[in-house]
């Protein structure tokens, strides 16, 4: 696929309500997403903040991570830490949770899917901020089981 075809595809998507498109042919993979656009400078700044930020981790010793329960996203969608804009988060770092307690919501195709804790324990790591995209099988939380 040449650059002209990619430009045509991009222009077509601008004219429709489609916000994300994935195309694969042979070894070529193209993913186009509209919406949350940020400049390259801002993206680099956010990346450097994410690398430097350890505020979402209680325990930084990776040797202990094997004992944690990993709550993974069961679907591709948008991750939300709270039930509605302006509401308090379902859980915070260090919170004690019970099995079956709602930890977050993953929205997929306008359906809100509540993600529940698989065990009693303590939240020791939160992998995402609210309103970020998550993939199938991607870690959302580490829980230290009690």
């Amino acid at each position: 696929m040449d650059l002209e075809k990619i430009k045509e595809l991009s222009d077509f998507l601008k004219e429709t309500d489609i916000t994300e498109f994935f195309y694969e042919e042979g070894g070529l993979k193209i993913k186009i997403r509209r919406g949350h656009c940020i400049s390259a400078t801002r993206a680099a700044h956010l990346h450097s903040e994410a690398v430097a930020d350890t505020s979402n981790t209680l325990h930084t010793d990776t040797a202990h991570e094997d004992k944690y329960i990993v709550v993974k996203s069961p679907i591709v969608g948008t991750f939300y830490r709270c039930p509605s804009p302006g509401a308090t988060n379902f859980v915070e770092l260090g919170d004690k949770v019970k099995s079956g307690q709602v930890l977050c919501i993953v929205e997929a195709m306008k359906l809100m899917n509540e993600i529940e804790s698989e065990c009693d324990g303590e939240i020791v790591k939160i992998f995402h901020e609210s309103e970020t995209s998550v993939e199938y099988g991607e870690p959302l939380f580490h829980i230290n089981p009690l």
Side-chain angles (χ1 to χ4, degrees), residues 42-56:
R42 178 74 178 134
H45 178 70
L46 290 174
H47 177 71
S48 65
E49 283 180 357
V51 170
D53 183 20
T54 57
S55 64
N56 282 340

Side-chain angles (χ1 to χ4, degrees), residues 51-116:
V51 170
D53 183 20
T54 57
S55 64
N56 282 340
T57 306
L58 258 185
H59 305 284
T60 57
D61 186 0
T62 56
H64 295 291
E65 289 188 9
D66 291 342
K67 70 178 183 175
Y68 298 148
I69 302 296
V70 180
V71 179
K72 297 179 181 179
S73 179
I75 53 176
V76 174
T78 304
F79 174 82
Y80 294 100
R81 291 189 57 199
C82 57
S84 62
T88 59
N89 292 334
F90 287 108
V91 294
E92 296 292 343
L93 203 58
D95 283 358
K96 304 282 191 248
V97 295
K98 298 283 185 194
S99 181
Q101 179 178 340
V102 176
L103 303 174
C104 66
I105 291 174
V106 176
E107 175 191 6
M109 299 185 341
K110 307 264 184 205
L111 294 174
M112 301 299 186
N113 301 280
E114 292 182 339
I115 310 302
E116 300 176 346

Side-chain angles (χ1 to χ4, degrees), residues 33 36 76-81 105-107 127-135 138 140:
R33 181 181 300 159
H36 302 286
V76 174
T78 304
F79 174 82
Y80 294 100
R81 291 189 57 199
I105 291 174
V106 176
E107 175 191 6
F127 285 87
H128 300 278
E129 292 300 321
S130 230
E131 300 182 33
T132 57
S133 297
V134 294
E135 298 292 326
E138 192 170 354
L140 302 175

